[in-house]
Amino acid sequence: MQNWAGNLEYSSTDIRRPRSVEELAEVVAGASRVKALGSRHSFNRVGDTSGVHVLLDGLPQEIELDSEARTVRVSGGVSYGELCRRLDRAGVAIHNLASLPHISVAGAIQTGTHGSGVNNPSLAGAVERIDLVRPSGEQVSLSAADGDQFLGSVVGLGALGIVTGLELSVRQSFHMRQRVLENLPWDSALENFGALVSSAYSVSLFTDYAGDVIDQVWLKALDSEPALAGLFGATAATEARHPLPGMSAETCTPQLDEPGPWLDRLPHFRHEFTPSNGEELQSEFILPLEQAPAALQAVRTLAAKVAPLLFVSEIRTGAADEFWLSPFYRQQSVALHFTWKPLQAEVEAVLPELEDLLRPFGARPHWGKLFTPASHDWEALYPRFGDFRSLAAAHDPEGKFRNDLLDSILGVPAASAR
Ligand SMILES: Cc1cc2nc3c(=O)[nH]c(=O)nc-3n(C[C@H](O)[C@H](O)[C@H](O)COP(=O)(O)OP(=O)(O)OC[C@H]3O[C@@H](n4cnc5c(N)ncnc54)[C@H](O)[C@@H]3O)c2cc1C
């Protein structure tokens, strides 16, 4: 079994598709190593195991809306695409979405997946309750009332249990318009960065860091926000655009200010379009928003090495949250995302240099993308890192949910059989 990008083959020796949570709990209890996989859109081995992989698409795929409480209960195997269609039919919405709707809700939230918007928390920000199966097969359900247990588990890298269900907060459905601006001079972007990324509900910048201009600015605006014909020297595109210059915009969500529902504007790509596999790699580094101009300027100094490996880089933002291993933990952030060409060796060769460059800005790597584990001081990056490690050791002392990547980050559990 491979991941979506096809850059890695999982090491599991057994793949199971339990038909009920009880059956899943039995599989987990009986395995010495086990891990869940969602839609396999991660680019690294965070979801790998040398034992049993459980796929949750055989479980009843429940999406139950509680209109009064403004929450939705979602089973572990459901994707955002499925969830959003159902929510929209009921007249409700989620606050934000990633660029692609095909990812699983549980897998996305476990790695801190996010969209953009200075006031929009990551997808984990909607979680009100999380249901987990522990290594013994015990089923637990945690909410904010459980304090640290909850705050440590929501962005949990799959290290604290198999997520069988989540309760997410929803809001009234909303309409948006999307507009692309072009050729934003780097100098004015850096000078006005805060105002630029606050100019609409969700703002994304697309660049390869070479040259004097940022190619595209994607503005996703609410009905209540003004239409911006230009901004800091950028001008409105007169045709729909793909983030990659020269590519057809057919696969992209509607632009040119055409109003439409949140679920067809927040992602960059249409739900009905399934991106082909194996054509790209990704890395992303998340750091405090106020550091953005200096960090971006630093990356520009590496443009000669980075640009030839890039399809494109996307610059996004996100609001702070309270989840211990969330890259947005307690800081309003900017996220520097890199969509690489499928040249893993070359990308892995340049990553340490990029990570060295971003270290002084407190950059936290995206847990589901390519990074160099040894390049990061996890304790310094995450104030509650030690607490997360203790939580994982307490709930999984034998390291049933561990793999080499998690061990290299969290350390090998004391009672691990390996
Ligand atoms: C084309 C593309 C676009 C992307 N766009 C974005 C984006 O806009 N923003 C962003 O932040 N990221 C983005 N990503 C990254 C992606 O969101 C993350 O890698 C996310 O984890 C993928 O979810 P998944 O279901 O595929 O998880 P998987 O890769 O299947 O698993 C990821 C982790 O979650 C764990 N996991 C999965 N399901 C469960 C479960 N039920 N219980 C416990 N643990 C579980 C796995 O064990 C593993 O540790 C993108 C990736 C791709 C390929």
Side-chain angles (χ1 to χ4, degrees):
M1 195 167 50
Q2 291 190 331
N3 64 341
W4 173 87
N7 66 314
L8 63 88
E9 198 147 310
Y10 294 108
S11 324
S12 45
T13 49
D14 195 357
I15 299 170
R16 304 282 186 92
R17 276 200 164 82
R19 300 266 151 209
S20 66
V21 174
E22 289 66 35
E23 195 187 322
L24 167 70
E26 273 173 38
V27 172
V28 172
S32 58
R33 292 281 180 272
V34 58
K35 212 123 178 78
L37 278 178
S39 50
R40 292 178 281 127
H41 280 81
S42 293
F43 294 85
N44 62 28
R45 293 196 174 271
V46 66
D48 202 9
T49 180
S50 54
V52 181
H53 259 138
V54 284
L55 306 180
L56 304 194
D57 49 6
L59 295 180
Q61 302 293 293
E62 288 162 3
I63 302 178
E64 281 169 27
L65 192 65
D66 182 337
S67 307
E68 217 161 281
R70 293 218 158 249
T71 56
V72 63
R73 227 201 91 75
V74 192
S75 320
V78 170
S79 75
Y80 272 99
E82 296 162 285
L83 172 63
C84 292
R85 297 282 156 209
R86 176 66 208 285
L87 293 182
D88 192 52
R89 282 202 296 276
V92 294
I94 311 179
H95 68 289
N96 209 354
L97 293 173
S99 63
L100 188 79
H102 306 77
I103 51 179
S104 86
V105 176
I109 288 173
Q110 281 292 295
T111 62
T113 291
H114 61 99
S116 191
V118 283
N119 296 316
N120 295 326
S122 79
L123 303 181
V127 178
E128 306 243 328
R129 178 171 288 280
I130 180 167
D131 299 337
L132 294 158
V133 170
R134 299 287 198 205
S136 62
E138 182 198 4
Q139 296 173 39
V140 295
S141 184
L142 303 170
S143 70
D146 296 291
D148 281 357
Q149 294 282 339
F150 178 69
L151 297 175
S153 303
V154 172
V155 179
L157 318 185
L160 294 175
I162 310 289
V163 180
T164 54
L166 289 151
E167 196 175 287
L168 308 177
S169 62
V170 295
R171 58 180 65 180
Q172 200 178 344
S173 180
F174 51 96
H175 270 65
M176 305 188 80
R177 308 173 319 271
Q178 185 164 240
R179 171 174 285 203
V180 175
L181 306 181
E182 296 180 295
N183 300 319
L184 172 68
W186 263 108
D187 287 347
S188 67
L190 297 178
E191 207 171 303
N192 301 288
F193 195 78
L196 173 65
V197 292
S198 308
S199 58
Y201 184 80
S202 165
V203 177
S204 291
L205 315 180
F206 288 95
T207 179
D208 66 359
Y209 293 97
D212 295 331
V213 295
I214 292 176
D215 293 327
Q216 295 180 7
V217 181
W218 285 43
L219 303 173
K220 297 171 193 276
L222 301 176
D223 279 348
S224 54
E225 293 176 315
L228 297 166
L231 196 62
F232 303 120
T235 51
T238 51
E239 288 175 359
R241 293 283 185 243
H242 189 284
L244 295 185
M247 293 270 291
S248 160
E250 209 182 343
T251 56
C252 298
T253 45
Q255 302 163 29
L256 300 167
D257 278 342
E258 186 187 327
W262 58 283
L263 71 169
D264 293 330
R265 296 296 178 278
L266 283 172
H268 303 327
F269 299 103
R270 293 176 190 266
H271 183 231
E272 59 274 23
F273 157 71
T274 305
S276 48
N277 291 8
E279 289 177 354
E280 67 185 59
L281 298 171
Q282 297 185 8
S283 301
E284 190 162 25
F285 299 94
I286 294 115
L287 51 102
L289 185 60
E290 64 271 17
Q291 303 278 12
L296 291 167
Q297 194 61 295
V299 178
R300 288 182 76 200
T301 65
L302 207 59
K305 287 191 180 173
V306 163
L309 299 177
L310 276 179
F311 279 129
V312 76
S313 171
E314 181 178 2
I315 301 162
R316 296 184 274 188
T317 57
D321 66 35
E322 288 293 321
F323 301 116
W324 292 356
L325 283 202
S326 164
F328 297 85
Y329 178 74
R330 293 205 170 165
Q331 57 194 30
Q332 193 179 35
S333 303
V334 66
L336 313 188
H337 161 86
F338 299 83
T339 302
W340 306 109
K341 294 173 185 166
L343 300 168
Q344 183 135 358
E346 291 87 337
V347 169
E348 283 178 350
V350 86
L351 271 177
E353 209 172 331
L354 186 57
E355 289 165 318
D356 284 351
L357 203 70
L358 292 175
R359 186 174 307 111
F361 306 105
R364 299 166 171 167
H366 190 304
W367 294 116
K369 304 187 179 180
L370 295 180
F371 61 90
T372 320
S375 288
H376 302 279
D377 179 350
W378 305 108
E379 304 267 1
L381 288 177
Y382 288 96
R384 301 300 297 268
F385 189 78
D387 294 324
F388 182 85
R389 202 159 36 195
S390 304
L391 199 61
H395 288 302
D396 184 20
E398 291 171 2
K400 196 176 263 201
F401 298 137
R402 291 299 186 84
N403 53 39
D404 288 346
L405 178 59
L406 290 180
D407 282 352
S408 75
I409 295 167
L410 299 170
V412 180
S416 170
R418 282 174 295 171

